[in-house]
Amino acid sequence: MSGLVLAGIAAYGTSTVYTAFTAVGGGLAGLSTGRSVSNRGTSSSSQQSSRSEPSFGTSTAGVCVLGAAAAALGVAAGRRSAGRQGEVSRAANPRKFNEQLPCSSGPFSVTVGKAGPSSFSILIAGLEKAGLTSALDGDGPFTLFAPDDKAFEAAGLTAEAVLAHPDLVTILKMHVLPGAIVAKGFKNQTVETLGGPVTMRKGVKGVMMNKAVINKADVEIANGIMHILGGVILP
């Protein structure tokens, strides 16, 4: 029964439910008052009538309080339902790499620890310069080990330095792997990226690709999977 009440509350909203409960309370109060009058008309004892009236007033208040409490529960249930729907829609509608990478804000942004949402402007510029963006629009699946802007800065690579790097294409290809590898598949191994072999190993700092640690794994993408790096994979 309580499940049906909450479902009705979530469906019709707070004000409607509160009005409905108040109306029910008023109806019960009227019914109770009618009974009280009837009792006073038929009973020879006025003491019984005086005793019955406070109980009817308490019943009315109780029904109204119940209505307010149920309405509040309905608001909470509605918010939880909306949150779950948002999570489901995000999981059911992931974006392709070229759509995901520019999302440094909004519902599709990716937050790594306390650092806030990651931005990938340097990686995007490098992929465009290397002519690799069209490849990431393919059906895949691909695995992208994506250094965010902080990762390039930590490696001492500015946007200008990355774009001018003589091995730009090879370096970026070392961040792309055919097929999808999720965190459950991380182990000490050598993986063949588009740019050549890269060593994956599990250590004290976490899972590393050569010397770049994976800060956040398993970001779902429509045509693959993305893992955010705290460094840059170099030959």
Side-chain angles (χ1 to χ4, degrees):
M1 180 63 182
S2 61
L4 291 175
V5 172
L6 288 179
I9 291 167
Y12 292 103
T14 304
S15 61
T16 304
V17 172
Y18 183 81
T19 302
F21 270 93
T22 305
V24 172
L28 290 176
L31 179 60
S32 300
T33 304
R35 289 178 180 174
S36 176
V37 172
S38 176
N39 287 338
R40 284 200 296 272
T42 58
S43 175
S44 61
S45 173
S46 60
Q47 184 177 2
Q48 292 179 351
S49 299
S50 62
R51 286 178 181 175
S52 64
E53 289 176 1
S55 66
F56 296 142
T58 303
S59 175
T60 302
V63 172
C64 291
V65 170
L66 176 61
L73 289 173
V75 172
R79 287 175 179 171
R80 287 194 296 269
S81 176
R84 287 193 296 269
Q85 290 174 0
E87 292 173 1
V88 170
S89 65
R90 176 173 180 173
N93 298 287
R95 301 188 170 197
K96 288 188 175 183
F97 290 108
N98 292 327
E99 297 171 323
Q100 174 65 52
L101 290 175
C103 296
S104 58
S105 61
F108 286 90
S109 62
V110 182
T111 299
V112 179
K114 298 179 180 180
S118 290
S119 58
F120 300 92
S121 60
I122 298 177
L123 177 60
I124 293 171
L127 290 170
E128 291 175 349
K129 176 72 179 293
L132 296 175
T133 53
S134 59
L136 294 180
D137 271 333
D139 294 334
F142 307 106
T143 299
L144 176 64
F145 298 96
D148 59 15
D149 290 341
K150 294 183 180 67
F152 281 102
E153 294 169 3
L157 294 171
T158 63
E160 292 76 12
V162 170
L163 296 178
H165 202 288
D167 296 324
L168 175 62
V169 175
T170 299
I171 290 174
L172 292 181
K173 283 185 176 181
M174 292 178 71
H175 293 77
V176 182
L177 179 71
I181 295 182
V182 297
K184 290 182 179 180
F186 291 169
K187 60 183 179 180
N188 295 332
Q189 61 182 320
T190 299
V191 296
E192 284 293 332
T193 69
L194 297 182
V198 172
T199 300
M200 174 186 287
R201 67 180 186 277
K202 303 175 74 173
V204 177
K205 294 181 180 180
V207 179
M208 304 187 73
M209 302 295 294
N210 284 358
K211 295 182 180 181
V213 65
I214 298 176
N215 283 339
K216 185 178 184 65
D218 291 353
V219 179
E220 184 180 0
I221 307 296
N223 53 346
I225 199 83
M226 182 170 77
H227 310 297
I228 301 177
L229 297 181
V232 180
I233 301 175
L234 298 171

